[in-house]
């Protein structure tokens, strides 16, 4: 059986799975070449390594939804969304090296304090839509402040709330995927189908790291290397307490787990997962490694994949599997 590389995406709008697979593969191959693994980079494109891209974004989009719509309907998801925003803002509270003056630091602290205050309940407003309005107010506050341009993938508050709302909707575990199953169950089912076909290396990004971690526990599958990129798994207020199963630990059949984070990634709050995840029976724990990308918005998967520090270990795992094939 050929070595198999499986990608799992995170939040966002509609995706072309074929185009995404090509883009993620190209970025990873670029990183491999930078790391000196040109032979494995070539194997990605010539079919020697089987590749798959797990797509589940369509499950978040009810048929009647319009592009960019905020699709939260239940109170539980709305409250999780506000908690998520608050924890992200708390993670942004450290002074930035590019904001060296005391005046800029005071301005930054003032904006953050105002934004976090906006997450608080308003006695005169109840229900999911009121909570979504508060979330939109928070997003408007931070996206309009120049010192938070690092959140710039979200060109509008509505897009920021929509994307973060997907995390909330998954963790709420109350919504249907349109087929009678719970939304989170349907999403994990997409990942489980690919894992059933085998995965030498599983690379997951953002919300996809939560989905993949839970799927590997729910339906154990042998994975030589699990790679998590820009993961919110360590968010102690929102994500970590809601993970299933508990207490959180490395999935049983994972042979190694590398977790990569960029310190400027607003989604990777509390990125050192070894502090919060126990070992499996083989004593495998997550190993967190820092990368540094160039640009204002460092969360995209392709930026992580193009890093030689990320692509190198993936190449080494695939090379070992290729050697075993021979």
């Amino acid at each position: 059986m050929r070595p198999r590389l499986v990608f799992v995406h995170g939040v966002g709008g509609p995706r072309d799975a074929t185009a995404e697979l090509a883009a993620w593969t190209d970025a990873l191959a670029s990183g491999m070449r930078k790391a000196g693994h040109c032979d494995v980079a070539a194997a990605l494109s010539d079919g020697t390594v089987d590749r798959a891209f797990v797509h589940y974004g369509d499950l978040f989009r009810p048929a009647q939804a319009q592009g960019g719509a905020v699709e939260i309907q239940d109170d539980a998801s709305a409250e999780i969304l506000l908690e998520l925003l608050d924890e992200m803002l708390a993670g942004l509270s450290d002074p930035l090296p590019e904001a060296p003056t005391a005046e800029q630091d005071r301005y930054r602290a003032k904006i953050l304090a105002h934004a976090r205050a906006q997450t608080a309940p308003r006695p005169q407003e109840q229900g999911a839509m009121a909570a979504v309005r508060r979330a939109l107010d928070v997003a408007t506050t931070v996206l309009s402040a120049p010192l938070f341009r690092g959140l710039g993938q979200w060109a509008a508050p509505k897009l920021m709330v929509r994307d973060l709302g997907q995390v909330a909707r998954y963790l709420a575990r109350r919504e249907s995927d349109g087929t009678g199953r719970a939304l989170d169950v349907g999403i994990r089912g997409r990942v489980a189908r690919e894992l059933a076909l085998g995965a030498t290396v599983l690379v997951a990004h953002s919300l996809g790291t939560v989905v993949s971690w839970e799927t590997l526990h729910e339906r154990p599958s042998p994975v030589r290397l699990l790679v998590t990129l820009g993961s919110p798994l360590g968010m102690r207020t929102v994500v970590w307490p809601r993970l299933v199963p508990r207490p959180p630990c490395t999935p049983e059949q994972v042979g190694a787990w590398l977790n990569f984070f960029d310190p400027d990634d607003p989604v990777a709050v509390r990125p050192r997962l070894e502090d919060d995840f126990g070992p499996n029976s083989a004593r495998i724990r997550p190993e967190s490694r820092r990368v540094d990308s160039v640009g204002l918005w460092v969360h995209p998967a392709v930026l992580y994949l193009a890093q030689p520090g990320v692509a190198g270990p993936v190449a080494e795992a695939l090379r070992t599997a290729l050697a075993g094939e021979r």
Side-chain angles (χ1 to χ4, degrees), residues 282-303:
R283 305 187 67 81
I284 302 299
R285 304 182 76 111
E287 179 184 339
S288 298
R289 299 181 181 179
R290 170 176 171 163
V291 299
D292 292 278
S293 295
V294 177
L296 290 176
W297 177 246
V298 299
H299 183 62
V302 292
L303 293 183

Side-chain angles (χ1 to χ4, degrees), residues 6 28 40 65 70 78 111 168 175 193 231 235 247 253 268 278 283 321 323:
V6 176
L28 183 60
V40 184
V70 176
I111 293 295
E175 191 174 334
R193 282 200 295 273
S231 177
M235 297 184 81
Q253 296 195 54
R283 305 187 67 81

Side-chain angles (χ1 to χ4, degrees), residues 1-8 21 28 32 43-44 47-54 190-203 221-226 314 317-322 325:
M1 183 177 177
R2 288 181 298 167
R4 194 159 191 265
L5 173 64
V6 176
F7 296 118
V8 183
L21 176 60
L28 183 60
M32 287 180 176
L44 288 180
T48 305
V49 174
D50 191 17
R51 297 170 294 115
F53 184 86
V54 179
R190 297 275 180 96
V191 178
R193 282 200 295 273
E194 290 297 339
L195 292 180
L197 299 176
T200 308
V201 179
L202 174 60
V203 177
S221 300
V223 174
R224 185 186 298 268
L225 174 63
L226 170 63
V314 174
L318 292 173
R319 177 180 284 111
T320 300
L322 288 165
E325 286 291 294

Side-chain angles (χ1 to χ4, degrees), residues 77-87 118-121 130-136 138 168 238:
S77 296
E79 290 305 317
I80 293 172
L81 169 62
L82 289 171
E83 292 176 14
L84 180 65
L85 278 166
D86 187 67
E87 188 161 1
Q118 289 176 302
T119 66
V132 169
R133 284 193 293 272
R134 298 206 305 276
L136 287 168
V138 172
V238 184

